[in-house]
Amino acid sequence: MKRQNGRATTYADSGVDIGAGRRAVELIRESVRSTLRPEVVGDIGGFGGAFAFDPRRFKEPLLVSGTDGAGTKVMVAQRAGIHTSIGIDLVAMSVNDVAAHGAEPLFFLDYIVTDRVDPKHIDEIVSGVAEGCRDAGCALLGGEIAEHPGHMHPDSYDLAGFCVGVVERSKLITGQRIAEGDAILGIESSGLHSNGYSMVRKVLLDDMGLDLDDRPMELGGTLGEELLKPTLIYSKVLLALADQNDVHGLAHITGGGLPENLGRIIPEGLQARIKSDSWTVPPIFRLIASLGQVDDDEMFATFNMGIGMVAVVPSSSANHALDVVRSGGHRAHEIGVVVSSKEPTVKFV
């Protein structure tokens, strides 16, 4: 048997602290329980999460799944030493994708990989995940905390999330019913959300040498506060919108911006014509463009530019749809119209 200093080698000698993992699970237990829905069977600690799905609610239920991470925004959280909001971003990225098909998020699972388990940091991360799940109305059904010593930089971590939702087949939103004359509604973002952070880091932190405690006058607060604003979760307002309006299409505006993400749902032969002056672009985007000398096309192809979700509805119901979104606590605007065209699927005018 191999020995170190006259004693048997343990798992801890390789860098894995099983005890820290157990302490982390105990710390997150109440956060996880705070998200549970009535359909959840059992408690934290099993090998899998059980969910008693009730098919009687639907004639033809479709399960809709999504997975994503929080991108390199995680590195900003680590640099700032603030770990309580990145979990919200993690949930938002997946539940917003699922909700963009008209689906109700049912449950969420997370995966946290770290060089070394710090129970306090894990508790802070999962408290954010739980907050995001409560906001989305889904259960945090399970997860994994993996310790990978030697594989990652010291005190670093990364995140992945997985969401499952349900929608009636007849109410699935795909964009196929988008038609000429439809109104395009933009629901505002809170700022950067979780996309484009590689450019953010290059321009603001690396090239310009700004510190997270700096206070650019354009922002009205610290750079760190702006960069760590959580991604908005749209699932509840989108469910209300779909329940009260005929929604032809929904697009979650993430990496690739409006041109790529809205373009994914526009049928062939149609074009989303966007009025670029129909909403106010948040100052953080103007700061990046100015300091990095980034042109408008590149900015709109990288960031959400202040629009986090797009809904396409019949023009006759646009005002009512805006009222529903605004009553759900979100700012929204009519930002364009669908026209017949053989040109690119998204055009700014």
Side-chain angles (χ1 to χ4, degrees), residues 17-29 117 119-120 123:
D17 187 344
I18 295 176
R22 283 196 291 264
R23 291 192 296 274
V25 170
E26 287 303 314
L27 288 175
I28 68 175
R29 189 177 296 274
V117 169
K120 181 177 180 293
D123 184 35

Side-chain angles (χ1 to χ4, degrees), residues 174-175 178 183-186 249-267 270-275 279 300 307-312 335-338 344-348:
T174 64
I178 292 175
I184 302 171
L185 312 181
L250 292 167
H252 183 200
I253 309 306
T254 57
L258 280 163
E260 180 176 322
N261 292 286
L262 180 53
R264 290 163 62 179
I265 66 169
I266 302 298
L270 297 176
Q271 180 186 79
R273 192 157 291 178
I274 303 298
K275 297 177 289 184
W279 75 94
F300 274 90
I307 298 296
M309 184 69 69
V310 167
V312 183
I335 64 171
V337 64
V338 177
T345 52
V346 178
K347 182 178 181 179
F348 294 89

Side-chain angles (χ1 to χ4, degrees), residues 208-220:
M208 300 306 301
L210 296 180
D211 189 84
L212 295 179
D213 291 329
D214 287 343
R215 293 178 172 269
M217 63 180 182
E218 298 93 337
L219 300 183

Side-chain angles (χ1 to χ4, degrees), residues 20 62 134 188 202 266:
L62 294 178
R134 291 193 299 269
E188 289 190 6
K202 172 176 169 49
I266 302 298

Side-chain angles (χ1 to χ4, degrees), residues 170-238:
S170 63
K171 296 182 179 180
L172 181 69
I173 298 173
T174 64
Q176 292 179 351
R177 295 194 301 121
I178 292 175
E180 183 178 3
D182 279 354
I184 302 171
L185 312 181
I187 308 176
E188 289 190 6
S189 68
S190 59
L192 290 161
H193 281 186
S194 299
N195 303 103
Y197 274 76
S198 293
M199 181 179 285
V200 170
R201 287 170 46 239
K202 172 176 169 49
V203 171
L204 300 183
L205 304 181
D206 297 341
D207 293 351
M208 300 306 301
L210 296 180
D211 189 84
L212 295 179
D213 291 329
D214 287 343
R215 293 178 172 269
M217 63 180 182
E218 298 93 337
L219 300 183
T222 70
L223 180 61
E225 290 169 345
E226 182 67 38
L227 298 189
L228 290 176
K229 282 183 179 178
T231 305
L232 292 182
I233 291 175
Y234 299 103
S235 54
K236 288 182 179 178
V237 75
L238 295 182

